[in-house]
């Protein structure tokens, strides 16, 4: 029994220490992001490459998933709304469900699966190969050159791709509104515009930025914890991705609490 | 020239710490960045420290590669390079440091297929306008490769 309590205590302390480290690292990154000297020609080149790999390369797959998944979900939601006689709340439900909840969540899951794992492995490999030390030897700040572009890319990618998901899902809603409610495009568009709340969009934007920040920051931090041994790379990736998933859930819960206030 | 690895590593470590500002290190412990092309590895130093544009920095990297007639490796990555090509790229990267103090750390470990210092000397000569000074850290048993009869420390 004592041993169990000790284990729980140790786990809690480790989790608290990890959480504290992540927040401290986040503040360091955010502080550097707003310094002009961070933005060298080399850093901008990395940023452009990162945006290409994260946002542009995924576009075909992301567009297909947005249309298919968004359409299916919209269709199901519309059917439920009709059956429950809640047609007057159509706009609010769509904006609340798609823009505030679904778009950021689906986007961040896709980007986390694809880009966070890649960033995690990349930083871990660079650590093991002593490439991070090489950059330091040549007086190249790894935070400015490696980490900031990836974090900024994460924020930009989640925001833009989430907006794209929202647009595609709401557009596919036009078809279902015609079929299920017999609603014309004009009426559907008016319903959406009248239901669009500035607060929803702000919450969605903050949520996307927070998602983007932590799904890149956590893998970077995890990659840095790799040792000199090659076998530490998969361990670092494993821990990093678990931490990313926990962060996604936490941010989602916090945003739901904020919305309900 | 040093008798053992521990002594060499310590001296090298102290030297690099005291000369960090203009150090151009060529060492297996300072490898090329594996996810960057050769030209980016070379150009990175100037791009970061002097804020050269991508176009200018690339042009500079290609110009120096052309001195070795190695412009064909510009878009290759570290894994695809031969030992000599890798050495040249590391040398050019080191020479990009402003007022570079080039430090060669055990060069024959980087180019194991080279028997004497002619390749190293010729390589340094081709860019002798790009660095201030060059130092070599190596073991005493390699003195013959450098044509040194009585090996001295450093």
């Amino acid at each position: 029994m004592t041993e169990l309590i000790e284990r729980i205590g140790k786990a809690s302390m480790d989790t608290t220490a990890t959480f504290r480290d992540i927040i401290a690292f986040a503040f360091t990154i955010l502080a550097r992001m707003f310094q002009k000297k961070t933005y060298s020609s080399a850093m901008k080149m990395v940023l452009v490459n990162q945006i290409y790999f994260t946002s542009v390369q995924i576009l075909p797959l992301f567009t297909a998933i947005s249309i298919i998944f968004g359409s299916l979900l919209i269709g199901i939601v519309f059917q439920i709304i009709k059956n429950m006689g809640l047609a007057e709340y159509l706009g609010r439900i769509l904006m609340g469900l798609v823009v505030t909840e679904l778009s950021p969540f689906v986007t961040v899951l896709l980007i986390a699966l694809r880009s966070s794992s890649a960033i995690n492995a990349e930083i871990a490999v660079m650590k093991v190969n002593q490439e991070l030390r090489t950059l330091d030897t040549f007086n190249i700040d790894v935070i400015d050159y490696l980490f900031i572009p990836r974090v900024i890319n994460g924020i930009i990618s989640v925001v833009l791709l989430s907006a794209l998901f929202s647009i595609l899902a709401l557009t596919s809603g036009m078809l279902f509104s015609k079929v299920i409610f017999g609603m014309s495009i004009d009426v559907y568009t008016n319903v959406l515009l009248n239901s669009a709340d500035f607060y929803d969009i702000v919450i969605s934007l903050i949520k996307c930025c927070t998602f983007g920040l932590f799904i890149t920051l956590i893998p970077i931090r995890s990659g840095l914890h790799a040792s000199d041994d090659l076998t530490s790379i998969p361990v670092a990736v494993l821990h990093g991705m678990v931490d990313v998933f926990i962060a996604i859930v936490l941010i989602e819960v916090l945003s739901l609490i904020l919305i309900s206030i | 020239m040093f008798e053992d690895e521990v002594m060499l590593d310590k001296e090298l470590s102290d030297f690099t710490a005291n000369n960090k500002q203009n150090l151009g290190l060529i060492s297996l412990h300072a490898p090329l960045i594996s996810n960057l092309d050769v030209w980016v590895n070379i150009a990175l130093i100037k791009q970061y420290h002097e804020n050269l544009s991508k176009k200018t920095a690339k042009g500079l990297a290609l110009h120096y590669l052309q001195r070795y007639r190695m412009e064909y490796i510009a878009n290759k990555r570290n894994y695809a390079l031969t030992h000599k090509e890798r050495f040249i790229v590391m040398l050019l990267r080191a020479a990009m440091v402003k007022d570079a103090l080039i430090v060669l750390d055990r060069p024959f470990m980087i180019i194991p297929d080279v028997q004497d210092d002619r390749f190293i000397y010729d390589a340094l000569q081709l860019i002798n306008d790009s660095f201030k000074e060059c130092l070599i850290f190596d073991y005493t048993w390699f003195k013959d490769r450098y044509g040194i009869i009585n090996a001295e420390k450093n």
Side-chain angles (χ1 to χ4, degrees):
Chain A
M1 185 68 182
T2 315
E3 209 180 292
L4 176 65
I5 293 169
E6 277 177 10
R7 269 199 227 151
I8 293 169
K10 189 177 181 305
S12 306
M13 284 172 65
D14 288 344
T15 307
T16 311
T18 303
F19 183 74
R20 192 190 57 222
D21 283 347
I22 290 170
I23 300 297
F25 192 42
F27 275 114
T28 305
I29 296 289
L30 284 169
R32 290 283 195 99
M33 228 190 276
F34 294 103
Q35 289 177 8
K36 199 179 169 188
K37 71 174 183 72
T38 300
Y39 297 89
S40 64
S41 167
M43 178 271 183
K44 287 176 196 165
M45 203 167 93
V46 174
L47 178 59
V48 167
N49 284 339
Q50 288 297 312
I51 291 173
Y52 172 75
F53 291 133
T54 304
S55 303
V56 176
Q57 270 194 342
I58 202 180
L59 264 179
L61 173 69
F62 186 81
T63 307
I65 288 172
S66 303
I67 292 171
I68 296 167
F69 188 64
S71 305
L72 278 172
L73 202 69
I74 294 287
I76 292 166
V77 167
F78 274 35
Q79 199 59 49
I80 293 170
I81 289 171
K82 188 184 177 186
N83 293 342
M84 293 180 77
L86 296 170
E88 63 195 280
Y89 298 107
L90 175 70
R92 282 299 305 144
I93 292 169
L94 272 183
M95 293 303 287
L97 179 68
V98 173
V99 174
T100 315
E101 296 304 324
L102 196 66
S103 302
F105 192 69
V106 170
T107 305
V108 83
L109 279 182
L110 265 171
I111 294 180
L113 273 170
R114 194 170 176 277
S115 296
S116 299
S117 52
I119 290 170
N120 203 338
E122 187 185 18
I123 300 296
V125 165
M126 289 183 86
K127 176 93 193 287
V128 170
N129 280 348
Q130 300 186 64
E131 290 173 26
L132 296 182
R133 220 168 81 172
T134 300
L135 291 172
D136 183 60
T137 301
F138 285 98
N139 297 313
I140 294 172
D141 191 324
V142 292
I143 294 179
D144 288 350
Y145 178 67
L146 283 181
F147 305 161
I148 301 276
R150 283 161 176 79
V151 171
I152 293 176
N153 162 55
I155 295 170
I156 291 172
S157 296
V158 174
V159 168
L160 292 180
L161 289 175
S162 177
L164 177 64
F165 187 98
S166 297
I167 291 166
L168 290 171
L170 291 174
T171 306
S172 72
M174 259 185 231
L175 173 69
F176 287 99
S177 68
K178 182 106 177 115
V179 168
I180 296 173
F181 293 105
M183 214 184 265
S184 70
I185 293 172
D186 289 336
V187 173
Y188 177 75
T189 312
N190 277 334
V191 165
L192 281 182
L193 286 172
N194 291 335
S195 307
D197 187 10
F198 181 70
Y199 185 66
D200 285 341
I201 294 169
V202 168
I203 291 286
S204 182
L205 196 63
I206 294 171
K207 200 163 145 180
C208 289
C209 290
T210 311
F211 273 144
L213 173 68
F214 285 102
I215 65 163
T216 45
L217 196 106
I218 291 169
I220 289 171
R221 182 189 164 273
S222 186
L224 288 173
H225 279 77
S227 66
D228 293 337
D229 187 7
L230 277 172
T231 56
S232 68
I233 295 172
V235 174
V237 175
L238 189 150
H239 285 141
M241 292 313 293
V242 168
D243 288 348
V244 163
F245 178 74
I246 292 169
I248 290 171
V249 169
L250 267 173
I251 293 167
E252 186 65 38
V253 166
L254 283 169
S255 74
L256 286 169
I257 292 169
L258 265 175
I259 290 167
S260 64
I261 292 172
Chain B
M1 293 278 167
F2 298 89
E3 292 290 332
D4 63 48
E5 188 182 6
V6 172
M7 221 169 19
L8 191 154
D9 283 340
K10 190 190 175 307
E11 287 291 330
L12 182 61
S13 175
D14 292 342
F15 187 84
T16 53
N18 293 330
N19 296 279
K20 202 166 187 280
Q21 203 52 40
N22 58 338
L23 180 73
L25 181 63
I26 300 162
S27 170
L28 283 179
H29 297 300
L32 298 175
I33 309 300
S34 51
N35 62 353
L36 297 179
D37 291 350
V38 158
W39 77 263
V40 185
N41 266 288
I42 298 168
L44 173 60
I45 312 300
K46 291 277 188 197
Q47 264 194 296
Y48 182 84
H49 290 292
E50 297 174 32
N51 217 12
L52 288 189
S53 68
K54 177 183 168 182
K55 193 177 170 185
T56 310
K58 185 173 184 178
L60 193 67
L62 287 173
H63 162 75
Y64 279 105
L65 282 169
Q66 274 163 6
R67 290 194 188 187
Y68 295 93
R69 296 184 189 175
M70 282 190 182
E71 54 271 28
Y72 61 90
I73 66 169
N75 292 313
K76 284 189 180 180
R77 296 212 169 166
N78 187 28
Y79 71 89
L81 300 175
T82 63
H83 295 302
K84 286 182 180 176
E85 286 169 351
R86 188 172 297 110
F87 178 82
I88 296 299
V89 176
M90 290 168 99
L91 176 60
L92 287 176
R93 181 181 64 178
M96 291 295 109
V97 174
K98 197 175 178 184
D99 299 328
L101 167 58
I102 290 183
V103 172
L104 288 158
D105 172 24
R106 288 160 281 197
F108 292 110
M109 286 176 70
I110 304 170
I111 27 173
D113 49 345
V114 159
Q115 288 185 338
D116 55 38
D117 68 343
R118 273 177 299 176
F119 177 78
I120 299 168
Y121 181 77
D122 292 343
L124 287 167
Q125 279 297 108
L126 280 171
I127 54 160
N128 60 4
D129 58 336
S130 308
F131 61 92
K132 266 199 160 177
E133 199 181 341
C134 179
L135 292 173
I136 301 176
F137 284 69
D138 215 327
Y139 299 116
T140 49
W141 53 86
F142 278 135
K143 63 181 190 289
D144 293 336
R145 293 203 189 189
Y146 294 103
I148 299 170
I149 298 166
N150 297 309
E152 291 170 4
K153 189 173 165 184
N154 282 3

